[in-house]
Amino acid sequence: MKQFVKKYQHAWVLSFGLIYLCWFAYLERTVTKRYHIMHVALDDYIPFSEYFIIPYLLWFAYVAGAVAYFFFTSKEEYYQLCTYLFCGMIISLIVCSFFHNGTNFRPVIDPDKNLCSWLVAKLYQADTCTNVFPSVHVYNSVCTHVAIRRSKKLRQYQWLQAGSFILMVSICLATVFLKQHSVIDGVGAGIMAYALYYAVYGSSELLGEKKAARKAIG
């Protein structure tokens, strides 16, 4: 038992998930009115499509699956991915705590139309239209693809890289086609992912460049 605990002691990082869920639940209960509506003109040209609920829900397996893979295969990449994910999620919570925001363009759903419509209706019931900027769905999808793309073991599987990219793009599109988010929410998430990439991976890339330079000189 001691060996098991010692081997997987890095699981402590996942405890942040409880903090995030409690904080987010608090915001969902308290941010119910007097919030800024996130909207840009492009939102009005994007049609609603219930079928995007499929990639939207696959997000849970996509992110959790990547974290689990690195948890068991590479502590370094696991810590990097978790740091990347959690830093952005914290920033998102802070933004929503001080800048109350939401959307107002969810359509009326007929849950009896088909299975996807029923799932969207359930999603709308479980998730309010507030606390949307920046989009955590978009941010975490980008982070997950970056981690898969950078993985020393996974980069050799081109089919996996391509599949990850397609799923990431599909999830990002799902947030706007399901009217869960405004385009600006996704743009904000993308900018945050770009900025935090260098904070998380910048030092390791610089170290790799130095090693390569020493090897070339030697």
Side-chain angles (χ1 to χ4, degrees):
M1 185 64 183
K2 289 182 179 180
Q3 291 180 341
F4 179 84
V5 173
K6 184 177 180 180
K7 183 177 181 180
Y8 297 114
Q9 60 184 338
H10 49 294
W12 71 269
V13 177
L14 301 178
S15 61
F16 169 78
L18 295 176
I19 299 175
Y20 175 83
L21 290 174
C22 292
W23 191 345
F24 183 74
Y26 170 77
L27 291 175
E28 288 285 273
R29 291 195 308 270
T30 57
V31 182
T32 57
K33 55 185 178 179
R34 295 182 181 177
Y35 52 82
H36 181 80
I37 300 299
M38 307 303 294
H39 179 268
V40 293
L42 183 57
D43 294 324
D44 300 329
Y45 293 94
I46 300 175
F48 169 80
S49 175
E50 69 270 22
Y51 299 106
F52 273 94
I53 190 65
I54 297 173
Y56 190 88
L57 294 179
L58 283 176
W59 172 84
F60 294 95
Y62 182 49
V63 177
V67 171
Y69 172 79
F70 292 119
F71 177 85
F72 290 108
T73 62
S74 172
K75 278 188 182 182
E76 179 185 359
E77 292 174 313
Y78 162 78
Y79 277 124
Q80 287 177 327
L81 175 57
C82 286
T83 301
Y84 200 14
L85 291 171
F86 296 158
C87 283
M89 292 165 73
I90 290 174
I91 292 174
S92 177
L93 289 172
I94 293 174
V95 169
C96 291
S97 295
F98 293 97
F99 172 59
H100 295 173
N101 59 82
T103 60
N104 63 351
F105 44 62
R106 283 181 172 182
V108 176
I109 302 297
D110 177 10
D112 297 322
K113 179 182 178 182
N114 53 45
L115 177 60
C116 289
S117 293
W118 181 82
L119 288 172
V120 174
K122 291 298 180 182
L123 172 66
Y124 283 3
Q125 289 177 9
D127 188 12
T128 72
C129 60
T130 58
N131 308 306
V132 296
F133 178 85
S135 170
V136 171
H137 243 69
V138 170
Y139 176 78
N140 283 0
S141 298
V142 173
C143 292
T144 300
H145 179 66
V146 167
I148 292 173
R149 184 69 179 172
R150 287 178 52 89
S151 173
K152 299 173 183 177
K153 293 182 179 179
L154 299 181
R155 67 179 55 163
Q156 60 183 312
Y157 302 108
Q158 293 301 316
W159 61 270
L160 181 62
Q161 298 289 332
S164 174
F165 178 77
I166 292 171
L167 182 55
M168 176 198 67
V169 172
S170 299
I171 292 171
C172 294
L173 291 175
T175 64
V176 291
F177 277 93
L178 290 178
K179 299 302 178 179
Q180 278 288 91
H181 287 276
S182 165
V183 170
I184 195 65
D185 302 332
V187 172
I191 293 173
M192 184 167 66
Y194 179 82
L196 289 178
Y197 174 86
Y198 291 98
V200 175
Y201 294 106
S203 59
S204 61
E205 287 189 347
L206 182 60
L207 182 60
E209 290 176 0
K210 287 182 177 179
K211 287 183 178 179
R214 289 196 193 106
K215 187 176 180 180
I217 294 173

